[in-house]
Amino acid sequence: MKRLILLGASGSIGQQTIDVVLQHPDLFELTAFGVGKNVDSARRILKQFDVKVFSVQEEADALTLAKEYPDKTVLFGDEGLKTLASGSDYDVLVNALVGFAGFAPTLAAIEAGHDVALANKESLVCGGELINRALALHGVSLYPIDSEHSAIFQCLQGNRTRQVRRLIITASGGSFRNLSREELSDVTVEQALAHPNWSMGAKITIDSATMMNKGFEVTEAHWLFHIPYEQIDVLMHPQSIVHSMVEYVDHSVMAQMGTPDMRLPIQYALSWPDRLELNEPALDLAKVGKLEFYEPDTERFPLLALAYEAGKMGGTAGAVMNAANEAANLAFRKKDIPFPAIEEIVIGAVHEVPWHELSTVEDLNAANTAGYDYAMERIRKVN
Ligand code: MG
């Protein structure tokens, strides 16, 4: 029996993690969870599981819920998440938080000696160096939930990392893959949120439309699998059936395929090296018919190129890029800036915010603030 803590429980990955736990009550137990402002989802989870402690974002919500559930401990804010992650009474942290907020709980769990199943790619984009140092120090493991990285992880099983020639991360291209750069200037939030293949949260769906998400995934792959950026390629694949590939020195290419269903990577991260039944229709390749692949256009998607650049810069560049993107992504969703401004602001941040070495969590927090402040200033100028 694995005892899990689930952070980001009300989001898309969080809800699908709950599905996986409910499907396998003999294998997994939810011991604590965190949600944001969705207190109704907290009430729903408390009906489904006997959880003694949970966390919400706002203090006012925590006080309300503490009155409703006098036998439970209700925490709140970033501290609440950190307290849960650094506790001793569980086996695996499932981190399904969105954004830089996910970094501190990831690190806290590792430092407390727990394995982490990671959907929060920003933990690695911002602080991959610090995370890997902590993993080595505490002898625990990070299991990818991101579908591409789960695919690579599966393709690496039984093989040697030093015999990898390159990682090939597939990309659907997001909601605007068929639009030219000129056509992007007046696209709406609603159009951006309609992803052709995957049903995901709002932030990551916008990140898919800019391909910032794919850029983040390149960085994530670099830190997860210890492969240089020069050996990580992105390949456009509109059908999202091949979730990623690994090419070896003998030119053998291993691919992992499946329907676009996040429950598979979630449960594999929790059950590795075992595989569990999944109660969904299996992949029917005859029905899919054809699989297409083509080279990405980094002029059409400049944030993909930027992520390689920031990755090679190292230090605080990843954290600055992420912070500017978080601010610009949200500003677009609030209709404060047009879609192409996201790219301009994130590129500007990486090039203009001073670069530093990344040695400590303080360096990281300072870089996050600097990237965010830079973006907010530019967002204000748009209006
Ligand atoms: Mg992904």
Side-chain angles (χ1 to χ4, degrees):
M1 193 71 143
K2 259 186 196 163
R3 294 164 305 157
L4 312 179
I5 289 183
L6 172 60
L7 303 185
S10 60
S12 173
I13 297 288
Q15 289 176 30
Q16 294 180 80
T17 302
I18 287 174
D19 279 354
V20 168
V21 175
L22 289 171
Q23 285 284 327
H24 302 281
D26 50 327
L27 298 176
F28 308 123
E29 181 190 344
L30 191 70
T31 64
F33 68 90
V35 297
K37 291 179 184 160
N38 189 343
V39 291
D40 279 335
S41 78
R43 294 188 179 102
R44 218 173 310 128
I45 295 167
L46 290 165
K47 264 186 211 151
Q48 291 170 307
F49 301 96
D50 180 28
V51 167
K52 302 274 182 297
V53 50
F54 64 99
S55 187
V56 294
Q57 197 166 329
E58 305 292 336
E59 184 174 11
D61 290 335
L63 291 171
T64 309
L65 290 163
K67 274 184 209 142
E68 276 176 55
Y69 301 94
D71 59 327
K72 318 241 183 244
T73 306
V74 191
L75 307 169
F76 65 92
D78 292 346
E79 264 322 293
L81 299 177
K82 227 174 131 178
T83 304
L84 290 182
S86 54
S88 58
D89 193 26
Y90 76 103
D91 300 307
V92 183
L93 177 77
V94 182
N95 188 340
L97 292 165
V98 176
F100 181 65
F103 173 83
T106 299
L107 188 64
I110 294 167
E111 288 177 341
H114 303 291
D115 289 342
V116 176
L118 190 70
N120 177 259
K121 63 192 83 187
E122 294 91 341
S123 289
L124 290 171
V125 171
C126 301
E129 219 173 321
L130 304 179
I131 296 284
N132 274 359
R133 199 197 298 160
L135 285 170
L137 191 65
H138 297 278
V140 294
S141 300
L142 203 54
Y143 297 101
I145 286 181
D146 209 346
S147 61
E148 293 79 0
H149 305 77
S150 176
I152 291 167
F153 182 52
Q154 293 177 60
C155 294
L156 288 169
Q157 299 300 311
N159 291 291
R160 298 186 197 287
T161 306
R162 64 179 146 80
Q163 289 160 359
V164 168
R165 189 161 168 271
R166 57 186 184 130
L167 306 181
I168 305 164
I169 299 177
T170 54
S172 72
S175 354
F176 300 143
R177 63 192 180 197
N178 297 321
L179 300 191
S180 67
R181 287 204 62 75
E182 293 67 42
E183 289 169 311
L184 289 177
S185 47
D186 42 35
V187 293
T188 64
V189 179
E190 292 71 25
Q191 289 169 318
L193 287 177
H195 193 282
N197 303 345
W198 294 92
S199 153
M200 306 180 289
K203 195 251 178 190
I204 189 172
T205 305
I206 303 300
D207 284 345
S208 296
T210 59
M211 281 190 82
M212 182 78 278
N213 181 57
K214 205 51 56 179
F216 284 173
E217 290 180 353
V218 169
T219 315
E220 187 184 5
H222 167 77
W223 293 115
L224 273 172
F225 305 114
H226 312 280
I227 300 286
Y229 287 100
E230 292 74 13
Q231 288 167 256
I232 305 175
D233 287 346
V234 170
L235 187 63
M236 305 305 288
H237 170 45
Q239 289 81 15
S240 297
I241 296 294
V242 174
H243 296 316
S244 279
M245 299 177 255
V246 179
E247 183 181 306
Y248 289 92
V249 289
D250 60 359
H251 296 185
S252 176
V253 178
M254 311 289 289
Q256 188 266 336
M257 292 191 273
T259 54
D261 186 331
M262 285 307 297
R263 283 170 297 184
L264 169 61
I266 292 167
Q267 69 181 39
Y268 191 69
L270 297 176
S271 67
W272 175 89
D274 283 320
R275 288 185 180 273
L276 306 177
E277 299 263 348
L278 182 63
N279 275 341
E280 281 304 312
L283 174 63
D284 183 343
L285 279 176
K287 219 179 206 170
V288 174
K290 63 175 179 181
L291 300 175
E292 296 165 291
F293 302 95
Y294 56 93
E295 290 288 327
D297 178 350
T298 50
E299 276 171 34
R300 168 64 183 78
F301 293 105
L303 293 188
L304 178 59
L306 184 77
Y308 277 95
E309 190 187 335
K312 289 171 189 169
M313 285 165 76
T316 53
V320 166
M321 173 175 69
N322 174 72
N325 181 64
E326 276 187 35
N329 179 312
L330 181 62
F332 171 68
R333 279 184 279 145
K334 286 162 63 184
K335 308 189 180 183
D336 289 341
I337 59 170
F339 186 79
I342 303 174
E343 295 168 343
E344 289 160 25
I345 290 168
V346 179
I347 292 167
V350 171
H351 293 160
E352 291 170 35
V353 173
W355 181 94
H356 296 286
E357 301 263 355
L358 180 58
S359 312
T360 65
V361 174
E362 288 69 37
D363 297 339
L364 185 64
N365 288 331
N368 179 62
T369 303
Y372 183 82
D373 289 349
Y374 172 91
M376 289 313 290
E377 201 184 316
R378 290 208 40 181
I379 290 163
R380 274 191 293 273
K381 278 186 197 154
V382 173
N383 290 288

